[in-house]
């Protein structure tokens, strides 16, 4: 068990760096103490039940959440919360579970059983390959391959097996035989029935970068330019609260668009013909924050110290919250994982959460998933895809660790060049 920091008021009195460290460490417990017992992989969610707050585990392993969890594990080793040997042992168990998991043209399902490796359907037709969740996993595997570089038998085998998992993803298969767009899902039972094109600005930039970077089953660059960067929901150019945003849906959409792909992709200086991605993400955050400060619907609690709309649980289930889809629910991950983009503003929110809401928000695995003051509702859940980016993006703010690791991957650099990106990690700009 890791150290448990459960006194929110004491934490709020810490200097910034010590406070960030405590939040990262407590949140990492979700992926260490709260992982699937059989495999060590990240569970989709854990739930606190009843007055005692009993901690119940979901049976479903989350593939995307596991990718973020692997990145959080790297942070834990670097920070000394777990030993390198313990992390390698855990990664070995995770590797074994992933190697025996059922895959679909190399892609993992959204959910699986950690012990058997069998797929757990997310919905009746979403019962097999999920390319986007697979890309989040591969991002984590590649970071681990770069970080655990020691010349030992265990580390060499882990790197070789992570390469196998990454190389066997048939990214080009997910173009439905050569169409100019990637498709999110494929099922041996239902084929392409989900028919979900991955296009328009969203969380999936990482999917296209890895698909272009793949050593064995890469897509042609035109799939990015004619698929992802085409159609409704990509180019915007409108202003909201006086802030213009070049790409994306109205008001920018939920804030996880600025987190998921950018856990590994370093947005600082990352540009292509469509956007400067650091500038885009900062503008997206500014719009999200400005909306909560303006608070046109009068939701209790909103303001400069309490903002952040993204996908999370809410009083009625689960919703991708955004300025134009706002039911009064604040998700801590929205602001906290945005620390690189607005450090002072995020620290203000963090201290507010601890001092005003205390243990209603701050529990065993860090901050609960969400809350809605208007309805007096505080979640009894934690979600892997929300906890992971908190640890990772906070570390990227502090040291750039995951950005440095992922952007050092030779295949990633090649993929970015194929898609005509510029980045300081690539050396001189493309002609």
């Amino acid at each position: 068990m890791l150290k448990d920091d459960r006194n929110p008021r004491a934490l709020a009195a810490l200097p910034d760096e010590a406070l960030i460290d405590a939040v990262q460490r407590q949140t990492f417990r979700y992926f260490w103490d709260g992982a699937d017992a059989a495999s060590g992989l990240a569970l989709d969610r854990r739930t606190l039940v009843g007055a005692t707050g009993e901690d119940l585990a979901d049976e479903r392993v989350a593939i995307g959440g596991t990718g973020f969890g692997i990145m959080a594990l790297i942070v834990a080793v670097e920070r000394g919360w777990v030993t390198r040997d313990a992390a390698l042992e855990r990664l070995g168990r995770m590797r074994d579970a992933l190697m025996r998991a059922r895959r679909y043209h190399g892609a993992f399902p959204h959910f699986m059983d950690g012990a058997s490796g069998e797929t757990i359907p997310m919905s009746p037709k979403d019962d097999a390959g999920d390319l986007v969740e697979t890309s989040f996993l591969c991002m984590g595997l590649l970071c681990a391959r770069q970080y655990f570089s020691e010349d030992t038998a265990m580390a060499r085998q882990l790197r070789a097996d992570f390469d196998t998992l990454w190389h066997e993803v048939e990214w080009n298969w997910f173009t439905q035989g050569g169409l100019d767009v990637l498709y999110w899902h494929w099922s041996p039972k239902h084929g392409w029935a989900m028919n979900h094109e991955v296009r328009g600005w969203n969380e999936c930039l990482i999917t296209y970068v890895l698909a272009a970077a793949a050593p064995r089953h890469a897509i042609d660059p035109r799939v990015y330019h004619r698929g992802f960067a085409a159609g409704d929901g990509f180019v915007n150019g409108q202003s909201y609260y006086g802030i213009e945003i070049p790409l994306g849906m109205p008001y920018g959409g939920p804030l996880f668009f600025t987190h998921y792909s950018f856990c590994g992709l370093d947005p600082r200086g990352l540009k292509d013909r469509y956007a400067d991605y650091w500038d885009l993400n900062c503008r997206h955050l500014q719009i999200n924050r400005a909306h909560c400060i303006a608070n046109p619907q009068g939701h209790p609690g909103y303001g400069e110290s309490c903002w952040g709309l993204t996908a999370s649980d809410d009083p009625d289930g689960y919703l991708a919250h955004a300025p134009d889809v706002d039911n009064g629910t604040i998700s801590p991950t929205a602001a906290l994982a945005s620390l690189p983009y607005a450090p002072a503003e995020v620290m203000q929110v963090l201290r507010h959460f601890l001092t005003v809401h205390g243990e209603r928000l701050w529990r065993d695995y860090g901050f609960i998933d969400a809350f809605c003051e208007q309805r007096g509702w505080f979640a009894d859940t934690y979600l892997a895809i929300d906890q992971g980016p908190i640890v990772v993006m906070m570390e990227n703010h502090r040291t750039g660790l995951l950005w440095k690791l992922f952007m050092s991957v030779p295949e990633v650099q090649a993929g970015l060049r194929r898609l005509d990106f510029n980045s300081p990690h690539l050396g001189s700009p493309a002609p």
Side-chain angles (χ1 to χ4, degrees):
M1 294 283 287
L2 295 177
K3 179 182 177 183
D4 185 357
D5 285 312
R6 285 293 300 274
N7 186 331
R9 288 193 175 275
L11 289 177
L14 293 173
D16 283 359
E17 280 296 300
L19 174 54
I20 294 168
D21 194 273
V23 170
Q24 287 181 287
R25 185 174 63 244
Q26 187 88 346
T27 307
F28 171 68
R29 295 181 76 237
Y30 182 91
F31 299 99
W32 190 255
D33 299 328
D36 176 61
S39 64
L41 301 173
L43 294 170
D44 178 52
R45 60 178 57 220
R46 298 189 75 98
T47 303
L48 305 173
V49 178
T52 62
E54 180 186 0
D55 173 24
L56 296 183
D58 194 313
E59 66 173 359
R60 301 172 300 179
V61 159
I63 289 299
T66 290
F68 298 137
I70 292 170
M71 299 172 87
L73 178 59
I74 293 169
V75 176
V77 175
E78 188 73 6
R79 292 279 165 194
W81 308 330
V82 300
T83 67
R84 202 171 184 93
D85 286 346
L88 285 167
E89 187 280 329
R90 174 65 64 91
L91 280 171
R93 279 204 290 138
M94 297 169 80
R95 179 268 322 274
D96 293 345
L98 292 169
M99 294 290 282
R100 67 173 172 262
R102 187 169 182 196
R103 288 175 280 156
Y104 306 87
H105 291 274
F108 287 84
H110 194 113
F111 296 134
M112 60 174 266
D113 179 86
S116 68
E118 287 301 308
T119 297
I120 298 175
M122 186 176 182
S123 66
K125 291 184 179 179
D126 186 356
D127 64 347
D130 183 315
L131 193 66
V132 174
E133 296 296 309
T134 298
S135 67
F136 299 147
L137 175 65
C138 287
M139 180 167 55
L141 294 176
L142 287 170
C143 285
R145 189 192 79 183
Q146 297 300 100
Y147 186 74
F148 294 98
S149 58
E150 50 262 55
D151 189 20
T152 64
M154 177 181 288
R156 287 195 303 270
Q157 190 60 55
L158 276 174
R159 292 194 298 270
D161 290 337
F162 290 168
D163 269 345
T164 295
L165 293 170
W166 145 241
H167 291 171
E168 289 182 354
V169 181
E170 297 177 27
W171 306 90
N172 54 1
W173 166 266
F174 285 82
T175 62
Q176 284 200 38
L179 299 178
D180 287 340
V181 67
L182 287 171
Y183 286 80
W184 202 300
H185 311 93
W186 180 81
S187 162
K189 184 176 180 181
H190 302 288
W192 302 105
M194 293 286 289
N195 203 38
H196 190 162
E197 296 179 342
V198 184
R199 70 162 80 239
W201 180 250
N202 52 37
E203 73 272 32
C204 304
L205 178 61
I206 187 66
T207 309
Y208 276 88
V209 170
L210 289 175
R216 289 176 51 189
H217 303 288
I219 59 168
D220 189 279
R222 71 173 184 274
V223 180
Y224 171 68
H225 296 294
R226 299 180 187 176
F228 189 62
D232 294 339
F234 190 77
V235 173
N236 187 310
Q238 300 299 308
S239 291
Y240 307 92
Y241 299 102
I243 303 159
E244 184 178 340
I245 191 164
L247 303 182
M249 55 184 62
Y251 297 91
L255 271 179
F256 72 87
F257 291 1
T258 71
H259 304 150
Y260 287 5
S261 286
F262 300 101
C263 283
L265 285 170
D266 186 351
R268 299 172 301 178
L270 184 69
K271 304 175 184 178
D272 68 358
R273 67 188 70 169
Y274 308 111
D276 174 324
Y277 291 93
W278 176 263
D279 179 67
L280 171 68
N281 290 349
C282 289
R283 288 171 180 270
H284 184 174
L285 179 138
Q286 290 161 11
I287 291 168
N288 197 290
R289 179 174 179 269
H291 168 81
C292 292
I293 293 170
N295 195 13
Q297 295 172 262
H299 294 306
Y302 279 31
E304 290 186 352
S305 298
C306 190
W307 52 268
L309 307 178
T310 195
S312 71
D313 285 347
D314 71 14
D316 300 313
Y318 186 90
L319 188 67
H321 309 96
D324 56 344
V325 186
D326 180 10
N327 63 6
T329 299
I330 296 290
S331 313
T333 188
L336 299 184
S338 299
L339 186 64
Y341 306 122
E345 293 86 346
V346 170
M347 292 307 297
Q348 182 178 353
V349 172
L350 171 53
R351 293 182 188 280
H352 173 86
F353 286 165
L354 291 168
T355 56
V356 173
H357 297 296
E359 290 194 357
R360 290 182 298 177
L361 284 186
W362 179 255
R363 308 290 293 276
D364 293 27
Y365 303 124
F367 289 103
I368 58 165
D369 198 52
F371 65 100
C372 179
E373 288 192 54
Q374 181 169 297
R375 296 172 62 175
W377 175 86
F378 290 79
D380 55 8
T381 51
Y382 309 91
L383 274 64
I385 58 172
D386 291 338
Q387 301 305 94
I390 294 174
V391 181
V392 173
M393 292 298 281
M394 282 186 157
E395 190 60 35
N396 281 332
H397 167 71
R398 298 177 79 183
T399 66
L401 175 63
L402 286 311
W403 286 339
K404 293 172 187 174
L405 289 169
F406 189 71
M407 298 298 281
S408 74
V409 173
E411 303 98 298
V412 170
Q413 294 183 359
L416 288 168
R417 288 191 177 99
R418 290 189 72 217
L419 299 181
D420 295 330
F421 276 85
N422 295 321
S423 163
H425 296 275
L426 302 179
S428 58

